[in-house]
Amino acid sequence: MKPADLRSERATGIEPGMVGPALPDASPAELRAAMVWNLRAALNVAALQCEFEPTLLTRDNYNAILRDHSKELSTSYATLERYFIRMEKNNKKAGQTSFDRFNTRVYSGFSTVSAQLSFCTVAGDIGHDALFLKPGTLGELAHDRMRELRRSLSPWGEQQFLSKQARPLYYSYRLPDFANVKCWKKDEWVAKKCGPVPPLL
């Protein structure tokens, strides 16, 4: 009903975990490329993981982003590939292996189960915004919203009825002892034998 407000400040790309594995000695252009590539990876994961809620349009929006921002995505890929080759002392094969390992870690970093609702909500919103960007400006969106996307990977739960002081993620309940047959008679709890029904926690 009401998702958490996860908006946050602009990221540079040097923050720990912001682009997945650290990129030592990366130039600003290389960090921007990494941010774009992380955004693409996140929206790709969302396209596959969020189809349980079709109104988010994560798959359709992702496909449109691939088409509309193909040039910037290709440039980002090439920039990152050159970075890894450079870091492997211009050994192209070793650089490609490092880049493949980086990609694997980036993609797996956006896979979530416990926070699927918050991740899909944020990814859907970002994918929608990306549709209205001019070509060449996907990097700005990545810098502006990557913190929010990373924060969405933690479970937040329903916000409408929670106080600002305490925001439990889940409610837990104590259930009656279903295995103890002496506590039941014709599907009714026998309080005389087993006490009152356990209260909700």
Side-chain angles (χ1 to χ4, degrees), residues 105-196:
R105 292 179 66 184
V106 165
Y107 274 86
S108 63
F110 286 109
S111 181
T112 181
V113 175
S114 60
Q116 192 175 31
L117 294 178
S118 56
F119 170 71
C120 290
T121 300
V122 171
D125 188 54
I126 292 174
H128 176 266
D129 286 354
L131 294 178
F132 299 94
L133 294 176
K134 293 180 180 178
T137 60
L138 196 59
E140 291 303 304
L141 181 68
H143 280 286
D144 287 342
R145 301 198 64 182
M146 188 56 66
R147 281 185 193 271
E148 179 182 2
L149 198 50
R150 290 288 180 189
R151 291 182 71 201
S152 76
L153 295 170
S154 297
W156 292 85
E158 171 58 57
Q159 303 295 299
Q160 181 65 35
F161 305 108
L162 301 180
S163 69
K164 292 183 179 179
Q165 291 75 28
R167 295 182 179 271
L169 300 179
Y170 306 103
Y171 294 99
S172 60
Y173 302 93
R174 284 180 58 198
L175 297 174
D177 184 358
F178 293 110
N180 192 344
V181 292
K182 74 173 188 174
C183 296
W184 298 91
K185 184 175 181 182
K186 295 183 180 178
D187 296 330
E188 293 289 329
W189 180 260
V190 182
K192 287 183 179 180
K193 291 184 179 179
C194 298

Side-chain angles (χ1 to χ4, degrees), residues 5-19:
D5 184 355
L6 302 177
R7 289 175 294 181
S8 192
E9 64 271 17
R10 182 179 170 90
T12 64
I14 63 172
E15 301 86 352
M18 195 57 61
V19 294

Side-chain angles (χ1 to χ4, degrees), residues 10-176:
R10 182 179 170 90
T12 64
I14 63 172
E15 301 86 352
M18 195 57 61
V19 294
L23 300 176
D25 300 322
S27 68
E30 289 165 341
L31 287 173
R32 180 184 174 95
M35 294 288 278
V36 169
W37 204 246
N38 269 258
L39 183 64
R40 178 195 178 279
L43 297 180
N44 182 214
V45 171
L48 299 171
Q49 204 174 71
C50 304
E51 287 196 276
F52 67 90
E53 180 46 87
T55 62
L56 291 174
L57 299 173
T58 52
R59 183 175 57 178
D60 292 341
N61 290 346
Y62 174 69
N63 289 332
I65 290 163
L66 292 182
R67 182 184 63 244
D68 296 347
H69 298 281
S70 59
K71 185 175 180 180
E72 187 174 4
L73 290 169
S74 296
T75 301
S76 298
Y77 181 92
T79 300
L80 277 176
E81 188 177 43
R82 285 193 299 270
Y83 165 81
F84 283 101
I85 292 171
R86 174 168 61 85
M87 295 306 290
E88 293 291 345
K89 299 181 179 178
N90 293 316
N91 182 326
K92 189 171 183 178
K93 185 176 180 181
Q96 188 61 56
T97 300
S98 295
F99 186 28
D100 291 344
R101 192 162 35 243
F102 171 82
N103 269 318
T104 300
R105 292 179 66 184
V106 165
Y107 274 86
S108 63
F110 286 109
S111 181
T112 181
V113 175
S114 60
Q116 192 175 31
L117 294 178
S118 56
F119 170 71
C120 290
T121 300
V122 171
D125 188 54
I126 292 174
H128 176 266
D129 286 354
L131 294 178
F132 299 94
L133 294 176
K134 293 180 180 178
T137 60
L138 196 59
E140 291 303 304
L141 181 68
H143 280 286
D144 287 342
R145 301 198 64 182
M146 188 56 66
R147 281 185 193 271
E148 179 182 2
L149 198 50
R150 290 288 180 189
R151 291 182 71 201
S152 76
L153 295 170
S154 297
W156 292 85
E158 171 58 57
Q159 303 295 299
Q160 181 65 35
F161 305 108
L162 301 180
S163 69
K164 292 183 179 179
Q165 291 75 28
R167 295 182 179 271
L169 300 179
Y170 306 103
Y171 294 99
S172 60
Y173 302 93
R174 284 180 58 198
L175 297 174

